[in-house]
Amino acid sequence: MEKIAVSCEEPSLDSPVDPRFGRAAGFLIVDPDTLEFSYVDNGSSQAMSQGAGIQAAETVCRSGAKVVLTGYVGPKAFQALFAAGIKIGQNLEKMTVRQAIDKFKAGEVDMATAPNRMGHGA
Amino acid sequence: MIISIASGKGGTGKTTVATNMAVSLGGDVQLLDCDVEEPNAHLFIHPVINEVKTITTPVPDVDMEKCNLCGKCGEICQFKAIVVIGETVLPFPEMCHSCGGCMEVCPEKAITETGRELGVIERGSRNGLEFVHGKLRVGEAMSPPLIRKVREYARPDVLTIIDAPPGTSCPVIASMKGADFVLLVTEPTPFGLNDLKLAVGAVNILGIPCGLVINRSDMGDDQVKIYAEKENLPILMEIPFDRKIAEAYSRGEMIVEVMPEWKEKFLKLYQQIEEMSFHKNH
């Protein structure tokens, strides 16, 4: 199965999903079949005054993931992920990375067709 | 000569001072309203507008036929305004600062210029006074590029009075930089003093001579005067809290229209500025 990038607060399957996509602490790049994962730090995006979402989208794209699971995605990040052909599952905050992946595998995550946040977390 | 009228705090009377001084001086004067987010000097000047120009700033347009996805454009951009992602290049024109870096580094010459609208500039006149203002497009995040375009109308052979926006950040700097004198309009309140100090800090960094106008000068406390004395800031004019002035303002009229004796005071204000910037430059 294709790899999944989940925004996370810590490099662990039991980390809470970071609700923010662009300014997430990092991403867990997970193989949903084996649950093997690697961690990509996204700390540099947190320090950016603008373009954090776009940079995070680049990071996810480079990781080879084809699906993003997260809380909120802003308009520019959405556009960038969409251009890269990466599918987006939103509103997955308030659960762990493992729970988000289980939900995705069970077919319970609707893939987004539009961003669910205005820019700058508004 | 260029005089920028600034304040730090909003609502202190920048536009009142700018418009009254400009009208008092009459001919060979330009008034540039650089408060492009909310221009309002025209409400007092009532200029006849005879030129309207849409202003754009260059942003990249990518020809995917030529692009080899090398990613150099995205690497040089400090604002994430262009990004190579997947099999495509995505420009974000609203984030572009028009530096031209992406066009410069593209080895395939795949990037050309297109325009993002910044707003419009209107130019007109009233009794020999030349009037120019910029109106920022709703949704446009950056005002300094439009402010700089308004300032391009400044002619070296006449006196240019700039009505600056409030604050101390980029739009204000864009409205003060390169001026011969900055006139800071303040009010004698703790709020006025706090923001005056910030404005003086900005003017000092730019190294421009400055002086004060204290508006509603008979209200509040004496802390602004104490500060001015300590900092060697000359108080060039005081405008009292006068019912007649307030009434005129509320009807969109200028002080010098309803109280012609004020014309002398605004002329004297200008003369003091002229002397101070003369001494600075000679």
Side-chain angles (χ1 to χ4, degrees), chain A residues 32-87:
Chain A
D33 296 324
T34 63
L35 289 188
E36 277 174 42
F37 65 85
S38 58
Y39 176 73
V40 189
D41 187 74
N42 190 49
S44 62
S45 285
Q46 292 184 329
M48 293 173 78
S49 63
Q50 62 170 29
I54 299 167
Q55 178 158 304
E58 282 182 290
T59 302
V60 167
C61 185
R62 263 196 302 272
S63 78
K66 295 293 175 204
V67 174
V68 160
L69 300 179
T70 186
Y72 325 126
V73 179
K76 296 194 190 78
F78 192 93
Q79 215 182 319
L81 289 168
F82 188 81
I86 296 169
K87 294 195 274 297

Side-chain angles (χ1 to χ4, degrees), chain B residues 20-58:
Chain B
N20 279 283
M21 187 159 80
V23 167
S24 298
L25 287 161
D28 282 344
V29 179
Q30 304 178 290
L31 177 60
L32 309 185
D33 190 348
C34 284
D35 190 358
V36 300
E37 289 181 64
E38 38 198 11
N40 44 31
H42 64 284
L43 300 175
F44 298 92
I45 297 291
H46 304 291
V48 178
I49 299 293
N50 44 38
E51 187 187 313
V52 181
K53 220 165 132 184
T54 300
I55 305 296
T56 60
T57 190

